[in-house]
Amino acid sequence: MSLRRDRLWLAFLALGTICTVLFAVNVAADLASAVIGGVCVLAWAFGPRLHGVWPRRPWRLMTAAASFFLVGIIVRAMLVEQPAPIAQIGDAFTVCGFGFFIASLVTFQSRWGMDRHALLDGLIVCIGAALASTLLFVLPTASIPGRPLIVTLIAGLYPLLDTVTVLLVANLAFTTAVRQPSFMLMGSMMVLVFCGDLGYAIIGRNGDVTGPRLMALPFLLAFTLGGAAALHPTAKALARATPLPIQAWSLPRMLLIGPAVAMPFVLTVTLGAETPVKRWALGLGGAAIVALLLVRASDAVQSHAAAQRRFEHQATHDPLTGLPNRRMLSIMVERLLGDDRPERGANVWMFYLDLDGFKLVNDSWGHTAGDQLIIDVGTRLRHALPPAATIARVGGDEFVVVQRCTEPEAMANARRIMECVERPLVVVTAEGATADVVIGASMGIVQSPKGARADQADALMRDADTAMYRAKESGRNRWTVFDASMRDAVRERVEIEVALRAAVAHEQLSIAYQPIVTMITGRPAGAEALCRWQHPVRGWIGPNMFIAVAEDSNLISALGAWVLRESVSQLARWRADGVVDDDFWMSVNVSPRQLGDPAFAERLAGTLRQAGVPAANLVLEITESVMVDGSDLTERVLVELRALGVRIAVDDFGTGFSALGYLRRHPVTGVKIDRSFVNGLGTSAEDEEIVRAVVAMSSALHLAVVAEGVETPAQRDVLIALGVPLAQGWLWGRAVDPATFADTWAGNQAVRVALPAAVPSD
């Protein structure tokens, strides 16, 4: 049904063409013209409803215009033999039709908007057309002697109505960039109406008011194209504004404007200016066109300058807050550093702040609330800081403040910045409700060195950024003043990242294995795979350093995948060699980034299948942050891992956001008590109670419990008394290479390790 509606305009075109041909060959001509006119009225009346065109007022006005045109044609045909003014009754209907037709164009124009340049160009075309109409048709028609006044008025009125139509059509054409088929059909209809009226205006110069029958052909074709425009699916686009971004004097536009500009000169040469009326008409018309051209040119220059200023502002300012962006900030800092007359005791101070908790606002209340928060923070900073301070937004939730001031003034600014950010903010959620939001900021502060040059602006910003990250690493919601040692640390971190990329690519790292023992027997139940890096130049690099670098540089996924493959393969070799029994498991740390990979479980299943290791013999250790900050994708991956048979343990349990709700909601099978609580066993009653609570909670949830960092027999004995069955630590041995591990524990391969009854072995 929809397809039929979309092709109805083609059927209308075919019907109109057939009727026009019949009219041209004088076969049932009157019936053919009546059919075209009547069907066009129906098309304009009901066509827009077929495609949900809105608003419908322009089409209603056009329907009225078509109705009056049709009645005018019929009445003129009936009264063609009657004397004036009876014969002009049909023209009265036609003039009314023009009124409704012009009103419909004005209604379309009000929907599309009126552009100043398009209006000026349309007036130029209109004045040129008006000059031609007046001198070529109106004046000659008015000078015909012995003619009834009503005939003269009507004959002179048509060219003027056509001139107004030309203005509106030109303005419509000048103000739209998208010209859909319906628009083209409608424009072609208007051109045909103009051509038909032009033909009657030409014969009107000789006093004729009627012409040959074929002079009605343009009007029949206009009816056909107009009805097709109303039935075309793109008719709805006529009610939507698609303005041109720049009203330039393009070649198509000049093809319309050029003849209008040349019209006064052409008419002067062809007609002369022998009468005062012609002289005044040509003089005033030419002067008006020249004045409009000057206004148009002047306005174009001003618009270009305004567009240039807009472009420069957009290129140097943040569109959301209106604050300077990174590019403009760099220019301003260069000016401050290049000032050779600074105030005594004052340096350029830069404050680089990153909002803490901004991502949580975006995730909880939507990006609209996040944008509002950014705007409010920018407004607060402007009000809280001195007018001399420059405030810029240089990233999603990053702001920079720069001011030449003394150190006490800089510290006062730092306090103002932190205070204005920490005050509660009110945001509007996606559902339209309001919510109070409290965020913080991590801020790095740096002052320009003595004798700083203008070209050191980027270095100053880099140092401030470095200090900001140091503040974030120190616990967030604080500020840190930059010192040279931070630069050295950053340089070292970059060098480590480069070396780590090469080490990961060429598999230059190694894995050490630390036993996880059953404390009662002291025999291994499993082992934890720990990545180690012996740099050929730097020597030993601790995992706390290179694992953090891997996380920040997105190397952790490749590194983690290698550790998993290597440790699972090592477990397979130990099982094959009889070093460990079938219940021995391998424990491997995985990062949140790995768990955010939707194909992680599938790839791990392939690794286990290739090595021939049961999934139950692999324990993946996750951090508590995975449970707290993990996405729906992470949750799905964890469920897939448990469905595979892999066990999941929470590493360093108790140091983060431990809560019973997280453990119940996520598919974990065990917890590892952090070494910070184990260290105090035997001396700290508080640590003992914490461990006791963890054991009780884990027992209730049927979770396995492993204690980390056991170094003394006293700690072991307390853990046994508290009911902790498994542990690892230096008491039983440090992490060692695979060969040493096999030599040390090969004698225990026949010992069957008894896991807690509540922990399923599969």
Side-chain angles (χ1 to χ4, degrees):
M1 187 66 182
S2 175
L3 186 61
R4 293 178 182 176
R5 287 202 304 266
D6 291 346
R7 293 184 176 180
L8 191 59
W9 69 280
L10 290 173
F12 186 90
L13 276 180
L15 176 63
T17 302
I18 293 172
C19 290
T20 303
V21 171
L22 292 176
F23 181 87
V25 298
N26 200 18
V27 175
D30 293 338
L31 178 62
S33 61
V35 169
I36 292 178
V39 176
C40 179
V41 171
L42 293 175
W44 280 354
F46 300 104
R49 299 175 183 270
L50 296 177
H51 304 293
V53 177
W54 192 264
R56 297 202 178 102
R57 185 182 179 190
W59 296 101
R60 293 193 186 104
L61 292 171
M62 206 162 282
T63 302
S67 301
F68 275 100
F69 284 145
L70 180 60
V71 173
I73 291 173
I74 296 173
V75 171
R76 270 202 303 269
M78 294 172 57
L79 303 178
V80 67
E81 302 296 335
Q82 299 297 320
I86 296 176
Q88 274 64 52
I89 294 176
D91 292 299
F93 287 98
T94 303
V95 170
C96 290
F98 262 108
F100 283 106
F101 187 64
I102 290 171
S104 69
L105 295 180
V106 171
T107 306
F108 274 127
Q109 185 68 65
S110 66
R111 295 289 300 176
W112 289 10
M114 184 71 71
D115 180 84
R116 176 180 171 85
H117 291 170
L119 179 61
L120 291 172
D121 292 344
L123 286 174
I124 292 173
V125 174
C126 180
I127 291 174
L131 275 176
S133 296
T134 301
L135 297 181
L136 293 176
F137 305 116
V138 176
L139 291 181
T141 299
S143 63
I144 296 175
R147 200 179 201 184
L149 179 61
I150 185 64
V151 176
T152 300
L153 290 176
I154 291 176
L157 183 60
Y158 280 122
L160 297 179
L161 292 174
D162 287 332
T163 300
V164 175
T165 304
V166 166
L167 170 63
L168 294 173
V169 172
N171 201 55
L172 286 175
F174 289 156
T175 53
T176 181
V178 179
R179 289 166 186 161
Q180 301 281 5
S182 184
F183 180 91
M184 302 302 294
L185 290 169
M186 189 71 71
S188 300
M189 177 199 73
M190 297 173 186
V191 171
L192 287 170
V193 170
F194 179 78
C195 291
D197 285 340
L198 180 63
Y200 277 102
I202 291 173
I203 66 173
R205 287 171 53 92
N206 301 322
D208 297 329
V209 293
T210 60
R213 181 173 48 82
L214 293 180
M215 288 187 66
L217 280 177
F219 299 105
L220 296 181
L221 291 174
F223 273 126
T224 300
L225 296 180
L231 294 173
H232 198 279
T234 59
K236 63 179 67 175
L238 289 173
R240 292 197 298 265
T242 52
L244 290 164
I246 299 177
Q247 295 286 343
W249 275 340
S250 59
L251 179 60
R253 184 172 291 213
M254 288 306 300
L255 291 177
L256 288 174
I257 297 176
V261 174
M263 190 61 65
F265 306 100
V266 173
L267 293 175
T268 300
V269 172
T270 56
L271 300 180
E274 64 277 4
T275 64
V277 174
K278 288 185 178 181
R279 286 197 295 271
W280 277 102
L282 290 171
L284 291 176
I289 289 176
V290 171
L292 289 172
L293 284 172
L294 291 175
V295 172
R296 176 68 163 88
S298 173
D299 205 51
V301 172
Q302 293 178 8
S303 297
H304 178 75
Q308 184 68 23
R309 289 193 297 270
R310 248 186 341 264
F311 173 77
E312 292 176 354
H313 187 272
Q314 291 171 354
T316 57
H317 288 75
D318 171 52
L320 185 61
T321 62
L323 296 173
N325 60 14
R326 185 181 291 271
R327 178 183 176 188
M328 189 64 185
L329 176 68
S330 181
I331 296 173
M332 292 178 169
V333 174
E334 287 178 1
R335 290 174 183 170
L336 284 173
L337 293 176
D339 186 1
D340 56 357
R341 294 175 299 173
E343 297 86 348
R344 179 171 297 181
N347 288 322
V348 176
W349 287 80
M350 180 176 289
F351 310 81
Y352 199 120
L353 61 147
D354 179 272
L355 302 182
D356 297 327
F358 176 72
K359 182 179 183 299
L360 183 61
V361 173
N362 264 346
D363 294 344
S364 301
W365 291 290
H367 289 281
T368 301
D371 289 346
Q372 181 189 345
L373 185 147
I374 292 294
I375 294 172
D376 290 346
V377 169
T379 302
R380 285 187 177 187
L381 290 174
R382 275 196 297 260
H383 292 160
L385 296 170
T390 296
I391 306 165
R393 183 188 179 207
V394 296
D397 59 344
E398 296 177 344
F399 293 84
V400 171
V401 177
V402 180
Q403 184 183 1
R404 182 180 291 280
C405 59
T406 62
E407 183 171 354
E409 291 172 335
M411 295 301 103
N413 281 345
R415 287 189 291 272
R416 292 191 192 100
I417 292 171
M418 299 300 287
E419 289 171 1
C420 76
V421 171
E422 291 171 358
R423 291 201 309 270
L425 292 144
V426 179
V427 298
V428 179
T429 66
E431 294 77 19
T434 59
D436 290 333
V437 175
V438 178
I439 60 172
S442 298
M443 183 165 60
I445 305 174
V446 65
Q447 66 171 322
S448 61
K450 293 182 179 180
R453 303 185 309 275
D455 59 359
Q456 293 178 312
D458 289 341
L460 198 67
M461 191 175 302
R462 185 172 59 249
D463 291 344
D465 187 34
T466 299
M468 183 271 290
Y469 275 104
R470 178 61 62 87
K472 195 174 286 289
E473 292 171 357
S474 300
R476 300 176 180 253
N477 200 27
R478 64 186 64 199
W479 79 68
T480 299
V481 180
F482 177 83
D483 62 60
S485 64
M486 296 181 188
R487 189 184 296 119
D488 297 336
V490 171
R491 186 180 298 111
E492 181 182 13
R493 191 181 184 93
V494 172
E495 293 174 355
I496 289 176
E497 179 183 339
V498 173
L500 181 60
R501 287 186 181 277
V504 171
H506 299 95
E507 297 187 355
Q508 295 173 351
L509 293 94
S510 61
I511 300 177
Y513 300 89
Q514 185 176 38
I516 301 173
V517 303
T518 302
M519 285 194 289
I520 296 177
T521 64
R523 292 168 178 167
E528 181 177 1
L530 300 169
C531 191
R532 296 290 183 258
W533 185 17
Q534 184 74 20
H535 192 273
V537 177
R538 293 175 175 269
W540 167 261
I541 298 178
N544 289 340
M545 168 61 80
F546 74 82
I547 294 297
V549 172
E551 289 277 7
D552 293 340
S553 59
N554 201 23
L555 282 169
I556 194 65
S557 295
L559 178 59
W562 174 78
V563 171
L564 267 173
R565 288 195 305 271
E566 190 63 26
S567 57
V568 169
S569 299
Q570 185 59 62
L571 177 58
R573 289 192 290 269
W574 283 341
R575 286 164 61 94
D577 296 341
V579 175
V580 299
D581 64 11
D582 292 342
D583 291 329
F584 188 91
W585 79 84
M586 183 68 70
S587 189
V588 183
N589 290 279
V590 291
S591 73
R593 195 179 295 273
Q594 288 176 275
L595 295 174
D597 180 1
F600 178 69
E602 182 180 355
R603 279 199 294 270
L604 180 58
T607 300
L608 292 168
R609 189 165 50 250
Q610 184 177 2
V613 173
N617 290 79
L618 178 64
V619 177
L620 298 181
E621 298 186 14
I622 65 173
T623 61
E624 290 178 301
S625 62
V626 170
M627 296 191 296
V628 177
D629 301 329
S631 63
D632 292 339
L633 174 59
T634 300
E635 179 68 21
R636 188 170 73 246
V637 170
L638 290 174
V639 172
E640 290 174 354
L641 291 171
R642 281 299 298 136
L644 186 65
V646 173
R647 289 181 280 175
I648 301 170
V650 182
D651 194 16
D652 300 331
F653 188 77
T655 59
F657 308 92
S658 304
L660 180 62
Y662 292 132
L663 292 175
R664 293 182 62 187
R665 191 164 65 247
H666 293 78
V668 299
T669 60
V671 297
K672 298 186 75 173
I673 302 174
D674 187 68
R675 66 179 65 247
S676 62
F677 303 117
V678 174
N679 288 339
L681 293 181
T683 59
S684 171
E686 182 180 348
D687 286 346
E688 185 173 329
E689 289 303 318
I690 291 175
V691 174
R692 190 190 309 276
V694 171
V695 173
M697 180 173 62
S698 302
S699 177
L701 296 175
H702 309 298
L703 302 177
V705 181
V706 178
E708 297 180 297
V710 180
E711 299 180 359
T712 67
Q715 294 170 346
R716 178 197 60 194
D717 295 341
V718 173
L719 289 169
I720 293 175
L722 293 175
V724 178
L726 302 166
Q728 67 184 96
W730 289 359
L731 180 62
W732 296 278
R734 302 193 179 200
V736 294
D737 61 85
T740 304
F741 188 95
D743 292 340
T744 304
W745 301 103
N748 297 324
Q749 71 271 26
V751 176
R752 182 172 180 82
V753 179
L755 295 176
V759 181
S761 60
D762 57 352

